[in-house]
Amino acid sequence: MMKTAQPKLWTKDFIILSLVNFFLIFIYLLLNATIALYVLREFDATTGQAGLAAGIFIIGALTGRIFTGSLMKRLQYKRLLVAGLIFFALTILLYLVNYGLSFFIISRFFNGIALGITTTVIGTLVVLTIPTSKRGEGIGYFAVSTAVATGLGPFVGLYMAQHTGFYMIFIVCLLLAIVSIIIGFFVRIPEMKKVDVVEEKGKGIKLSEYIEPKALPISFIVLIMTFCFSSVLSYINLYAIELNLIDTASFFFIVYTVTVLISRPFTGRLMDSIGANYIMYPAFIIFGIGMVLLGTAHSALTLLIAAGLIGLGFGNISSISQTIAVTVAPPHRMGLASATFFIFYDIGNGFGPSLLGLVIPITGYPTIYMILGVAVIATSVLYYVLYGKKEKANRYILNKKTG
């Protein structure tokens, strides 16, 4: 008997999209790690102004994501991707022009919009290049590009700020953005058949034009998870100083990244074969334990074990949740589903540090990490109510679609 040919995962388009995604996230996090310091030094700004220059990028990214889902229903994906990459490069070019702090903050806002557009389009395109039967595995591998950029971006940014200066940082970011445009031209994506698209007619602005309702439940879970994880991203260095473990803190995200790199491909394949619930429930518990352990850390070893557990937990919750978001949506609304997922992801990640910053002076770092750890574990119950109990039915529908 002849064996049926297995659909390929590692296609040229999948590799290109993963590479472009790596460059974009790397640039974003490299700049994010250095921009406040740049504003303080270059414009003699206040701490509040530096925070605004850093934070307005997230507002821009959210703005870009909100409108991208709707744009993807009207424009060709390839054109929107290339236009977004060109826009992203142009907004980085503005960093090299010094017209004062207000101009720089506006440039940051538009740079955020450009990132929101491009990463949302890429998140949708990569799903279209992945065989449906390997969607969990494929998104797991694709998410590795984000994980590596998360580990390298801040490290390279801080190193360059100390050894080369901010002008060279902007030049490097611009060159990487131009490379992204060039390789982005080589992506070939089949257009969606018009028969698959059903336009929703009616007067007035509809929320469904910008949000995919079926992706809302899992996106809400992601909002809670990114809110909790933002406490690690934003405050781990300050917490490490308090513990007198600042040298260990530099290895925290290396351990986190390595854990994600090792686990995501494996958990993606496991999701494809037996379902998301078998990954999500353990991930909630592992993430929660990692946060509680972080709150009780008094040694370098404990801090690094917590980093590994958080990577194993949150790292897989984020990629599996993205797979769920695009799987539950109709094929012609994958763009909106992807946009919905990233909007909620950014809300939790963007507003978490500000809200937690009001609470930490009252509770202290150990208490807030332990509280968030308990909240993560408790979210597994909410996950069951919003999605987990329906997971078998969703897998049955997906299997019927794929034959």
Side-chain angles (χ1 to χ4, degrees):
M1 291 178 65
M2 293 182 63
K3 290 185 178 180
T4 306
Q6 290 293 314
K8 288 177 63 177
L9 172 59
W10 291 97
T11 62
K12 180 197 72 175
D13 296 318
F14 179 81
I15 293 170
I16 288 175
L17 290 169
S18 298
L19 191 59
V20 172
N21 182 69
F22 168 79
F23 285 145
L24 295 177
I25 302 301
F26 177 84
I27 292 168
Y28 155 54
L29 291 170
L30 189 157
L31 291 173
N32 193 58
T34 57
I35 217 71
L37 183 61
Y38 170 74
V39 171
L40 288 171
R41 290 182 180 177
E42 182 69 21
F43 301 106
D44 194 26
T46 65
T47 304
Q49 289 171 325
L52 176 62
I56 201 167
F57 186 94
I58 294 292
I59 298 174
L62 277 169
T63 304
R65 294 197 195 283
I66 288 170
F67 291 102
T68 301
S70 180
L71 286 173
M72 291 180 74
K73 292 172 62 180
R74 297 171 173 81
L75 301 176
Q76 290 184 350
Y77 291 175
K78 172 75 174 287
R79 290 180 181 177
L80 189 56
L81 172 63
V82 173
L85 289 172
I86 293 172
F87 184 33
F88 185 69
L90 290 175
T91 53
I92 291 177
L93 187 63
L94 294 177
Y95 290 167
L96 298 171
V97 183
N98 190 342
Y99 284 117
L101 180 58
S102 297
F103 180 84
F104 184 79
I105 290 174
I106 293 170
S107 300
R108 286 283 293 165
F109 175 73
F110 283 109
N111 193 212
I113 290 177
L115 184 82
I117 293 170
T118 49
T119 52
T120 302
V121 176
I122 289 171
T124 304
L125 289 181
V126 79
V127 174
L128 295 177
T129 67
I130 297 171
T132 307
S133 61
K134 295 186 176 183
R135 187 167 286 170
E137 180 184 0
I139 290 180
Y141 278 119
F142 172 74
V144 165
S145 65
T146 298
V148 175
T150 300
L152 290 179
F155 174 79
V156 174
L158 293 173
Y159 180 86
M160 291 188 69
Q162 294 171 7
H163 295 91
T164 65
F166 295 103
Y167 186 82
M168 184 57 65
I169 288 175
F170 298 149
I171 291 293
V172 168
C173 290
L174 179 61
L175 290 175
L176 290 177
I178 292 171
V179 170
S180 298
I181 296 170
I182 294 170
I183 62 177
F185 272 108
F186 292 96
V187 174
R188 295 179 62 185
I189 304 296
E191 293 299 319
M192 297 281 284
K193 294 179 181 179
K194 291 186 177 181
V195 69
D196 292 331
V197 181
V198 179
E199 293 294 335
E200 298 170 2
K201 297 181 180 180
K203 294 182 178 180
I205 298 174
K206 292 184 178 180
L207 188 61
S208 59
E209 285 286 309
Y210 306 97
I211 296 291
E212 171 50 50
K214 290 185 178 180
L216 283 175
I218 194 63
S219 297
F220 184 68
I221 297 295
V222 165
L223 186 153
I224 298 172
M225 293 299 97
T226 52
F227 178 88
C228 294
F229 183 66
S230 72
S231 66
V232 179
L233 280 175
S234 300
Y235 297 111
I236 190 63
N237 283 339
L238 296 176
Y239 182 43
I241 292 171
E242 187 177 283
L243 295 174
N244 198 27
L245 295 171
I246 188 61
D247 292 334
T248 307
S250 61
F251 292 97
F252 186 94
F253 284 105
I254 294 177
V255 173
Y256 169 89
T257 302
V258 169
T259 309
V260 172
L261 285 172
I262 293 171
S263 65
R264 268 182 174 169
F266 168 74
T267 54
R269 287 194 296 269
L270 203 59
M271 178 194 172
D272 289 331
S273 60
I274 61 176
N277 285 351
Y278 290 91
I279 310 300
M280 291 292 281
Y281 290 121
F284 283 121
I285 296 170
I286 293 169
F287 183 18
I289 291 173
M291 294 292 286
V292 171
L293 189 62
L294 184 61
T296 60
H298 292 289
S299 67
L301 179 62
T302 308
L303 199 70
L304 295 180
I305 291 173
L309 292 174
I310 291 169
L312 193 59
F314 176 78
N316 286 292
I317 288 172
S318 59
S319 62
I320 298 299
S321 296
Q322 184 181 356
T323 307
I324 293 171
V326 297
T327 298
V328 297
H332 68 278
R333 290 180 66 87
M334 275 187 188
L336 284 171
S338 183
T340 302
F341 172 85
F342 285 116
I343 286 168
F344 279 72
Y345 190 102
D346 283 347
I347 290 173
N349 202 35
F351 293 99
S354 300
L355 295 175
L356 292 169
L358 300 174
V359 180
I360 288 172
I362 302 170
T363 63
Y365 293 109
T367 302
I368 198 66
Y369 282 130
M370 286 188 277
I371 290 172
L372 292 174
V374 173
V376 168
I377 296 173
T379 304
S380 62
V381 178
L382 184 61
Y383 168 82
Y384 170 78
V385 173
L386 295 179
Y387 178 81
K389 64 182 180 181
K390 310 170 191 171
E391 210 255 347
K392 276 190 178 181
N394 285 328
R395 279 186 63 77
Y396 175 74
I397 294 169
L398 179 62
N399 289 336
K400 282 193 72 176
K401 286 179 183 177
T402 57

